[in-house]
Amino acid sequence: MRMVKYPRMSKRKICCFMMACMLVVSSVFLSACGKKEKTVSQTLFALDTFVTVTIRGQEAQEAFDQASKVLQELEETLSRTKEGSEIDSLNHSSEEAPVALSQGTYTVLQSALSWSEKTGGVFDPTIGPVMDVWGFGSDAKRVPDEEEIQTALEHVSYTKIHLLSDSRAYVEPDTIVDLGGVAKGYIADVLMSTILEYKVSRVILDLGGNVCAFDASKELVIGVISPSDLSLLAAKVNVSSKKKDEVVSVITSGAYERYIEVDGVHYGHIMDTKTGKPVETDLLSATVLTHDGKEGDILSTVLFALGSEKAVELAKKENIACILIGQDGTMWVNEDWKESVHAEAGWTIRYF
Amino acid sequence: MLKQDGQSDTSELRPEKKSNRRFRFLPGDAMIIGMIVVFCIVFWAGFFIYQKTTDKKVRYVRITQDGSVTMEIPMDKFTEPTEFYLPGKYGDVVIYISSEEVYIKESECTDKICVKTGALKKIGDGAVCLPCRVVVQIVGGKGDSGNVSGSSDFGEVDAVAK
């Protein structure tokens, strides 16, 4: 070791050492600051249910604040009970005095009417009067008599809604449009696109059990509740929604949450639009997996109301990804979702 | 200094003995590298230990009625199990709280979904009585934004559709 050379080398080493230190320190700072993603998770009471919004990301709070505003606006626009809402105005419209709707409401109505036609009225956004006589949506749930049901049914038909050009529409006298069967799915879609305009990496929206999810980094596992025991799951579904245009909605319809029980008889809230009484179905629940929340909301109701045989037929024809849970313990799942849907113990899975 | 034909005349700038600039691995270098490695290991170990310890949050039981928080107390205070009677729209909602678990024991609502939800044990669990507008949650601290899935003990799922 020559003393002459050492100082020349040590300069380089000092430089290297300093660079290494800077690298370590900057990596530490980057990891500490870069991961400063905040998680906001809040539950709001809206749409007559609890809405839980969970957002992770650098702009989680800003995204949540904006989503809350949008939720409030949409609730006021789509509610039929709030005076002055678009749907309230529509229900008071006539051929002579049609109302101008926002593009969003008009699109929801278009979608609802399209599926009403396709399903021959199994889904009908004018079912409101029937729901009213049963007391669903109010505190006075009861079993109405036949006469009341028939009177209510006279006003039920999706053909009484007329969509005009320029986002205008009107309804025939005494028709009540109620978008309860589609609003949550649509609102979830709008909330999600609002939130995704911010720097966020994970969003889970739970609108009273309707799930809409996005995660940029990993595959999500969505549980489907067991309709026969609400403390258990019937299935787990692996979904990938890593891109903003791949957001997945998982929407379930069933008669196990909203119902009336009188003298031991269980009356579910999903009505047969022909009889005005709860649908008679061999299904306990129908879950739809979709990228379009509003369609998913409609289709889960339709599939549930149709019963297993017709539901499977429609799902095949329209290529609907779904999980149908039957009263006999059978679970029907699309062949395409074989790898993603995992039934819990006690259910017999059948692919179609 | 470049010549027109592209060849450089740098002979004057070159060190006389090239071999003098060759790097030699000296004991001091090993020490420096060792110090950096040790520093990194110690730092990351400390970071992970910190994360682990902060994850072990105190569980708070939060009861919300009509959107307002009516109670927010650490669960470990309930060494003696207690039943709370919350006046609801349809009568009392009875909430059982112990240091281990919380659940809605009774409710006068029609569907009893809140009662069927069962015991809440970990942060993030929640039970909802929609007719009475009562939410019972386990959260990680006062003012911590909990979420209500209306479900508990579903294992490793990100959300539950129902």
Side-chain angles (χ1 to χ4, degrees), chain A residues 258-271:
Chain A
R258 285 179 73 196
Y259 60 86
I260 304 168
E261 202 165 308
V262 178
D263 300 330
V265 184
H266 185 104
Y267 299 93
H269 78 289
I270 296 175
M271 294 290 157

Side-chain angles (χ1 to χ4, degrees), chain B residues 93-108:
Chain B
V93 178
V94 184
I95 301 162
Y96 170 94
I97 308 175
S98 74
S99 56
E100 292 300 314
E101 60 183 21
V102 180
Y103 57 86
I104 297 181
K105 192 178 174 187
E106 286 169 36
S107 172
E108 294 302 318

Side-chain angles (χ1 to χ4, degrees), chain A residues 5-6 13 17 24 28 31 41 43 45 50 52 139 202 209 211 218 220-221 223 225 231 233 256 259, chain B residues 20 26 29 32 39 43-44 89-90 111 113 116 128 130 133 135 145-148 154 158-162:
Chain A
K5 287 179 187 172
Y6 196 74
K13 280 182 200 162
F17 178 67
V24 170
V28 165
S31 62
S41 180
T43 301
F45 190 82
F50 285 98
T52 301
D139 296 333
R202 179 181 161 92
V211 173
K218 70 176 185 77
L220 292 160
V221 183
I225 203 116
S231 64
L233 292 179
Y256 52 90
Y259 60 86
Chain B
N20 286 351
L26 302 169
D29 300 327
I32 289 167
F39 173 75
F43 182 85
W44 286 113
K89 203 172 176 181
Y90 301 99
D111 48 27
I113 290 165
K116 290 174 194 168
V128 176
L130 202 56
R133 293 197 173 195
V135 183
S145 54
N147 70 355
V148 179
F154 284 125
D158 295 288
V160 177
K162 55 188 173 156

Side-chain angles (χ1 to χ4, degrees), chain A residues 115 119 121-125 127 131 178-185 210 251-255 258 269-273 279-281 283-288 293-308 311 314 320 322-324:
Chain A
W115 280 105
T119 59
V122 174
F123 178 82
D124 197 321
I127 194 72
M131 298 296 277
D178 187 338
L179 295 179
V182 56
K184 279 195 285 183
N210 282 18
I251 299 169
T252 300
S253 284
R258 285 179 73 196
H269 78 289
I270 296 175
M271 294 290 157
D272 186 324
T273 53
V279 289
E280 285 180 15
T281 173
L283 293 176
L284 290 174
S285 76
T287 301
V288 172
K294 66 177 181 306
E295 281 205 354
D297 212 353
I298 296 169
L299 289 173
S300 63
T301 310
V302 168
L303 295 177
F304 175 76
L306 286 175
S308 62
L314 182 71
I320 305 164
C322 59
I323 301 168
L324 309 170

Side-chain angles (χ1 to χ4, degrees), chain B residues 75-123:
Chain B
M75 280 175 71
D76 54 20
K77 300 269 182 204
F78 295 92
T79 44
E80 287 292 318
T82 312
E83 283 179 7
F84 282 86
Y85 288 75
L86 204 64
K89 203 172 176 181
Y90 301 99
D92 285 343
V93 178
V94 184
I95 301 162
Y96 170 94
I97 308 175
S98 74
S99 56
E100 292 300 314
E101 60 183 21
V102 180
Y103 57 86
I104 297 181
K105 192 178 174 187
E106 286 169 36
S107 172
E108 294 302 318
C109 62
T110 49
D111 48 27
K112 309 272 189 249
I113 290 165
C114 52
V115 178
K116 290 174 194 168
T117 300
L120 319 174
K121 292 176 182 172
K122 60 182 190 298
I123 293 170

